[in-house]
Each structure stands twice: as C-alpha cells, then as structure tokens.
C-alpha cells in the first residue's frame, strides 16, 4: 500500500487526466477501440512503475509470437505482476483475474478496459465458461495472462504447483504457450517497503501446440513450471 500511495503522489500532475480517461473508457467501452482502452492502462502501468521506484529488467519480449493469439503463463508473486506484464506488452493483452478484484474501485475500471475475465473459483460452471471464452478469444488473435498457480505464492521466488485446469484454454485454442519467469516481483508491493527495487521478467521461448499436443493438462502444467523454475534458478545463480 505504501508504494501505491507513493506512485500516486509521484504522478499527481498526470492523475486527473489519466483518471478521466480511465473512467470514460470504462463507462462506455463500446465507444473506444481495444487499442484506445489498452493505451490508458498501459500508461498507468508505465507511470506507476517509474514513479514507484521500481526498475524492470526484461528478456525475451522479442520472442513473443508476431501473429495470432497466445497465452502468457507467469508465476504469481503478488499485486505487481500484472502491472509489469502490461508495461512490457506494447499491444493489447487481457487477463483472467479473481472475482474479488471486480469490487475494488479503479481496479474495476482497469479490468473493464483490459477486457479481463473475472474467475469465481467457487463456481465450476462459471470457471468452464471462462475457459471457453479465453479459448475463443485466443483463436481470434487475442492474448491473455493466466496465473496457473491460482493464487500468489507468498514465498518469494518459490513457486506453488501449477494447476492443470489453467491450461485447458490453451489446449482448446491450440495456441502457443509462453512461460514467463517473474523474479522479485513480490518486493514491489507485498513487503510494505518503498525502497528502490529491481524486478525481472523473462519471457521464455513459446511452446507451440505441436510440442504439447496429446499431453495431459497436468503434464503441461508441470513442464511450464519446470521451465520457469529453471530460469529463476539460472538468474539467481548468475
């Protein structure tokens, strides 16, 4: 919370304009293109990171598929994860987020502008609808962020188990899977500190459908988790 407040005051001159743009686009999303809605969220992420005393080091962005839809599967460390991924992703991308976030002012408007889907983890039928919606959107060229752990780790750079069900959208869309290794993202907003921190985001080589075709979703989950863990270990050893 301290860093969010710091971000706000460091961008005070921009807040009225950006807030107005966010609210108007969220109130009438049908009046704006996907690019126009995404632009305001992307600016919020960029300005928040810069003003929040966070340095972002990234690799592999250039390896993202140039055509067609795909799904990013990052490890989940905390509230900062989506912000850094949006900052690094120049073109529109959406996300699957937990239902509870929809009730939070401003976050609600950001979710609308992203076209993000809210997942009710207590409702299996609604969860299936989200899976199918993501798959259909990706088939049409959409991009999504899906946190396969289901919740943030709360244990630094240690990963929780990846849930096989998180990969059903990818198998149905037959799209590339892009593992993303996030390192020290939790330090930005989940430690209560406003000291300058460095967060790493490594986009690993996309996994084409041909590579995981025929695998069970639990096997895909384990494969993606292992690749992310290997990248984190490599970076921590460097």
């Amino acid at each position: 919370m301290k860093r969010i407040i710091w971000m706000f005051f460091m961008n005070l001159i921009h807040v009225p304009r950006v807030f107005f743009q966010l609210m108007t686009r969220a109130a009438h999303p049908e009046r704006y293109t996907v690019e126009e809605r995404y632009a305001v969220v992307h600016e919020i992420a960029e300005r928040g990171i810069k003003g929040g005393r966070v340095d972002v080091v990234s690799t592999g962005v250039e390896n993202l598929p140039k055509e067609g839809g795909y799904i990013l599967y990052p490890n989940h460390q905390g509230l900062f994860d989506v912000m850094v991924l949006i900052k690094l992703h120049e073109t529109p991308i959406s996300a699957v987020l937990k239902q509870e976030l929809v009730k939070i002012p401003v976050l609600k408007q950001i979710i609308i502008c992203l076209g993000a889907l809210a997942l009710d983890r207590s409702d299996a039928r609604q969860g299936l609808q989200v899976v199918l919606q993501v798959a259909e959107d990706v088939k049409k060229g959409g991009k999504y962020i899906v946190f396969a752990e289901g919740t943030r780790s709360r244990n630094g750079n240690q990963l929780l188990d990846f849930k096989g069900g998180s990969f059903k959208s990818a198998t149905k869309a037959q799209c590339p899977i892009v593992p993303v290794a996030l390192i020290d993202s939790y330090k930005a907003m989940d430690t209560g500190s406003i000291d300058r921190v460095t967060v790493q985001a490594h986009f690993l080589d996309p996994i084409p459908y041909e590579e995981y075709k025929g695998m069970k979703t639990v096997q895909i989950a384990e494969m993606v988790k292992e690749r992310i863990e290997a990248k984190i270990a490599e970076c921590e050893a460097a």
Side-chain angles (χ1 to χ4, degrees):
M1 181 59 71
K2 290 181 181 179
R3 197 177 300 273
I4 294 176
I5 295 172
W6 186 270
M7 289 175 177
F8 178 86
F9 282 105
M10 291 302 293
N11 286 284
L12 200 56
I13 190 173
H14 301 288
V15 168
R17 173 185 59 80
V18 175
F19 183 78
F20 175 77
Q21 290 177 342
L22 178 65
M23 292 299 151
T24 53
R25 284 161 172 73
H28 300 285
E30 73 283 356
R31 297 181 184 177
Y32 300 89
T33 65
V34 173
E35 290 75 18
E36 288 172 331
R37 296 196 302 270
Y38 186 72
V40 67
V41 180
H42 191 267
E43 181 177 355
I44 290 171
E46 283 195 315
R47 292 193 181 282
I49 290 170
K50 183 177 180 180
R53 309 181 75 221
V54 180
D55 298 316
V56 176
V57 175
S58 65
T59 63
V61 176
E62 69 280 0
N63 295 326
L64 290 174
K66 302 299 187 293
E67 297 181 359
Y70 52 81
I71 302 177
L72 303 184
Y73 284 95
N75 54 308
H76 195 12
Q77 296 196 347
L79 299 173
F80 190 72
D81 299 346
V82 173
M83 182 176 284
V84 70
L85 292 171
I86 288 174
K87 189 265 184 190
L88 295 170
H89 205 280
E90 296 292 338
T91 57
I93 190 168
S94 190
V96 176
L97 303 170
K98 61 183 181 180
Q99 181 74 37
E100 294 84 345
L101 297 178
V102 177
K103 302 176 182 178
I104 302 175
V106 180
L107 275 181
K108 176 182 179 179
Q109 283 70 34
I110 288 174
I111 288 170
I112 292 172
C113 285
L114 284 177
L117 299 178
L119 178 65
D120 183 350
R121 290 175 290 188
S122 65
D123 188 337
R125 179 174 294 181
Q126 190 266 356
L128 177 59
Q129 292 175 343
V130 169
V131 166
L132 295 176
Q133 182 64 61
V134 171
E136 286 303 310
D137 289 348
V138 172
K139 286 179 182 178
K140 297 174 184 177
K143 287 87 173 173
Y144 272 86
I145 299 166
V146 174
F147 293 105
E149 289 163 287
T151 187
R152 50 183 165 168
S153 160
R154 298 184 183 275
N155 193 23
N157 294 320
Q158 301 298 312
L159 276 60
L160 300 175
D161 288 337
F162 277 30
K163 301 181 183 301
S166 301
F167 293 86
K168 289 182 179 178
S169 293
T171 59
K172 290 182 180 299
Q174 300 183 9
C175 69
I177 288 171
V178 183
V180 185
L182 296 176
I183 301 175
D184 293 340
S185 179
Y186 70 96
K187 292 181 179 179
M189 290 185 180
D190 293 75
T191 61
S193 170
I194 59 171
D195 292 339
R196 180 169 290 280
V197 297
T198 297
V199 172
Q200 299 180 49
H202 302 280
F203 296 80
L204 308 187
D205 291 339
I207 305 172
Y209 176 66
E210 291 71 23
E211 185 173 340
Y212 66 85
K213 179 181 179 181
M215 294 175 64
K216 296 180 179 179
T217 54
V218 291
Q219 295 174 315
I220 301 171
E222 187 60 29
M223 174 179 66
V224 173
K225 179 188 176 186
E226 288 176 355
R227 295 189 185 191
I228 292 174
E229 286 181 324
K231 185 62 178 182
I232 292 175
E234 173 191 324
C235 292
E236 290 183 329

